[in-house]
Amino acid sequence: MSIETLANFVDGRGCPPASGTYLDCENPYSRTVWGRIARSDAADAEAAVSAARRAFREGPWSRFTAPQRGAMLHAMADVVAAHAEELARIEVRDNGKTYKEMLGQVKRIPEWYRFYGGLADKINGAVLPTEKPGQMNYTLHEPLGVIAMITPWNSPLMLLAWKLAPALAAGNVAVVKPSEFTSASALRFAELMTQEAGLPAGVLNVVTGLGAEVGAALTAHKDVAKVAFTGGVTGGRAAYVAAAEKLRPVSLELGGKSPNLVFADADLEQAARGIVSGIFGSGGQSCVAGSRALVHVSAMETFVARAVELTGKIRLGDPMSADTDIGPVATPAQFDRIMTCIGWAKKDGATTAIGGAPVSDPSGGEALFVAPTIFTGVWNDMRIAREEVFGPVLAVIPFETEEEAIALANDSDFGLGAGIWTRDISRVHRVAAALEAGSVWVNSYKGGSQISPFGGYKMSGLGREGGMEMIRDYLQVKSVWLNLADEVAYPFPL
Ligand code: NDP
């Protein structure tokens, strides 16, 4: 089989890496190497940032009016929609998630470009009142410049859209560093946006390779005006520290250990369905996976029995098949991580209600699968209840009172999402207000929109993505003072 070689995408065209070295791309289902991506370094980061900076300062993009930027984002939305199947297939080949999930995601991406495209010509400053006679003061809301966007492997193009759409609407330019495991879709996306949507060269650049190499070079680059990062805590912290050296703003969308609180009065059938899909959808490879279920002691037996029954029906297999619910684990390293976490739970005395082991590839191949796993008898201080697994593992923890449930939910380093399952409307509002989480779902789990802010409390992140206000994170404000008097105020002898 021939191997595809993918170059970086810089200044509107393919650019081989300065070092001439590449990284293999493996399909996690077939376990075959289908291609290779550039292993970029600081020289490639420099070339991409320079191209972006030229586009920002001198290129056609710098002369786009706000309505023209809006129209460009709508054109980008149309091109994504027209290529949704192709882009989804590329993502499945790299991360092993099901085609139906990735296609669903890619089909929603145009909504982000349309929403922020609609906002492009609604960014305005104000004429401000002033107490100084003969003075006028107004504000200009200006783009920041080159934004470094660093993205993970689980939802590559969707998470890029969360950053790129508002950044471009505000007039910025981008250098994207996708995950080393899923770079192909961002490269194809950049090519399509330039060739079919007409995005000027240099506005969107993609450099591939390792986070510790080209990712670190970008976050530390003096001409990067902001870093927008999605990934794990370790990489996020490194990006934050590098940007701090240059006093640049950073947004971080990181991981979670999100709880679902199941109260005694909940509809347990709906709770079981919502929680099973909230953890095992995407094979648990989702930042907001509901990986802890806090269940009232009186509901425990019924809830666990139904959750186990539903989990037993989940089908593992070929991610391209419509009959598959969970594809293979994305990488061997992630498989090892999941199995390590399962090992902690067993060692700490949790009870395996279902799963807890690898599953051999149903097609007889070498793809790595982990059985959807539910542990009961978990206490919140066990490692399985504290660390993000990023795999199909649910920890079930009992509680007796509402106060205890809230305390357990909040007793976490993370604070990304939370679910509340109850029919008591007063409790809904009390508990939603008390939870330390960026998103709270009531009698459902997961779901979101470009219209609504998403992000984390505590170590789940900094800042929000989505919603109208966040476009301000890609703008800076200039205050302009005009002297309308005939003479300037002069304090010294004339
Ligand atoms: P990683 O943090 O390993 O990687 C994310 C990105 O950061 C990759 O492109 C990676 O490069 C890069 N990176 C790593 N180290 C550095 C560094 N020192 N400097 C600059 N860039 C760096 O996360 P994963 O890809 O494994 O994704 C899973 C994580 O992402 C989970 O923790 C998950 O919860 C989180 N996530 C959060 C979301 C949210 O919106 N809150 C959404 C989706 C995922 P490379 O890997 O190529 O070396």
Side-chain angles (χ1 to χ4, degrees):
M1 195 177 81
S2 69
I3 303 277
E4 285 178 49
T5 296
L6 304 182
N8 288 324
F9 191 82
V10 175
D11 213 6
R13 59 183 180 276
C15 291
S19 68
T21 57
Y22 291 84
L23 298 166
D24 284 347
C25 306
E26 186 181 89
N27 178 327
Y29 183 61
S30 66
R31 297 300 304 275
T32 52
V33 173
W34 62 263
R36 54 183 202 152
I37 54 160
R39 181 172 178 172
S40 309
D41 58 21
D44 304 294
E46 178 62 43
V49 173
S50 298
R53 204 164 145 79
R54 274 196 308 280
F56 182 69
R57 292 189 153 184
E58 304 153 21
W61 185 245
S62 64
R63 295 184 292 278
F64 267 49
T65 61
Q68 285 173 326
R69 288 202 307 274
M72 175 56 66
L73 268 81
H74 278 82
M76 292 170 72
D78 292 343
V79 174
V80 176
H83 290 269
E85 287 81 5
E86 176 196 355
L87 292 167
R89 272 196 302 274
I90 293 174
E91 301 220 311
V92 175
R93 182 179 58 181
D94 269 341
N95 72 7
K97 288 170 100 179
T98 61
Y99 178 66
K100 57 191 171 198
E101 178 185 351
M102 299 324 288
L103 184 61
Q105 274 189 12
V106 176
K107 283 188 166 174
R108 289 205 45 217
I109 287 174
E111 294 165 17
W112 285 78
Y113 290 98
R114 294 204 170 100
F115 178 78
Y116 285 105
L119 282 184
D121 59 4
K122 292 162 196 73
I123 298 165
N124 54 269
V127 178
L128 301 172
T130 162
E131 73 284 18
K132 299 180 197 309
Q135 295 277 323
M136 181 185 176
N137 180 216
Y138 66 90
T139 55
L140 296 172
H141 289 238
E142 300 179 342
L144 298 169
V146 181
I147 315 294
M149 302 181 181
I150 303 199
T151 54
W153 48 265
N154 59 332
S155 302
L157 285 180
M158 172 63 107
L159 295 169
L160 175 58
W162 292 12
K163 299 162 180 43
L164 188 62
L168 294 188
N172 298 284
V173 293
V175 178
V176 180
K177 207 301 278 177
S179 164
E180 70 191 90
F181 304 112
T182 56
S183 294
S185 63
L187 289 165
R188 178 65 179 140
F189 173 85
E191 186 179 62
L192 286 170
M193 294 308 117
T194 306
Q195 292 173 358
E196 295 193 15
L199 195 64
V203 176
L204 171 58
N205 308 277
V206 181
V207 284
T208 63
L210 301 176
E213 296 176 0
V214 66
L218 274 180
T219 55
H221 198 289
K222 67 176 176 34
D223 291 332
V224 164
K226 173 184 164 90
V227 175
F229 180 98
T230 299
V233 168
T234 307
R237 187 183 287 117
Y240 195 16
V241 168
E245 279 291 327
K246 300 282 183 305
L247 302 179
R248 297 293 189 268
V250 175
S251 64
L252 300 173
E253 294 289 350
L254 307 179
K257 196 72 203 176
S258 299
N260 269 285
L261 287 63
V262 183
F263 290 94
D265 66 331
D267 179 332
L268 294 182
E269 174 63 25
Q270 297 309 314
R273 290 184 195 184
I275 290 170
V276 165
S277 63
I279 177 66
F280 299 130
S282 318
Q285 300 169 129
S286 155
C287 54
V288 84
S291 51
R292 287 186 296 155
L294 312 181
V295 183
H296 190 264
V297 283
S298 68
M300 183 62 86
E301 201 177 320
T302 311
F303 170 81
V304 170
R306 185 62 178 140
V308 165
E309 189 180 9
L310 290 169
T311 302
K313 295 181 180 173
I314 293 174
R315 300 159 299 179
L316 309 182
D318 179 353
M320 290 303 293
S321 162
D323 294 331
T324 296
D325 301 311
I326 301 182
V329 177
T331 64
Q334 189 56 26
F335 174 83
D336 291 344
R337 162 79 185 168
I338 298 169
M339 292 315 300
T340 300
C341 297
I342 286 175
W344 298 334
K346 291 181 175 172
K347 186 164 164 289
D348 288 344
T351 304
T352 310
I354 187 167
V359 175
S360 51
D361 182 343
S363 71
E366 291 174 17
L368 300 169
F369 289 89
V370 175
T373 298
I374 299 179
F375 285 114
T376 57
V378 176
W379 302 108
N380 208 46
D381 55 0
M382 288 183 187
R383 216 165 161 189
I384 194 65
R386 308 208 70 83
E387 292 201 24
E388 183 181 43
V389 178
F390 218 61
V393 182
L394 176 67
V396 184
I397 302 166
F399 73 84
E400 291 189 13
T401 65
E402 183 180 304
E403 294 70 29
E404 187 189 2
I406 294 167
L408 288 169
N410 290 342
D411 177 20
S412 172
D413 289 339
F414 298 105
L416 195 55
I420 303 171
W421 299 87
T422 180
R423 293 181 170 105
D424 179 337
I425 190 71
S426 304
R427 169 174 281 152
V428 165
H429 292 290
R430 264 196 320 270
V431 178
L435 288 173
E436 295 166 358
S439 296
V440 175
W441 292 277
V442 179
N443 293 328
S444 70
Y445 193 74
K446 280 194 186 174
S449 156
Q450 68 283 356
I451 305 164
S452 180
F454 178 83
Y457 282 34
K458 301 188 277 188
M459 286 178 77
S460 289
L462 270 182
R464 296 291 178 270
E465 294 190 325
M468 296 216 332
E469 291 86 18
M470 72 86 57
I471 202 160
R472 293 178 196 280
D473 292 353
Y474 288 98
L475 291 163
Q476 54 195 335
V477 183
K478 181 178 284 168
S479 180
V480 181
W481 289 90
L482 272 79
N483 179 20
L484 303 178
D486 291 337
E487 293 182 358
V488 68
Y490 186 72
F492 304 118
L494 288 168

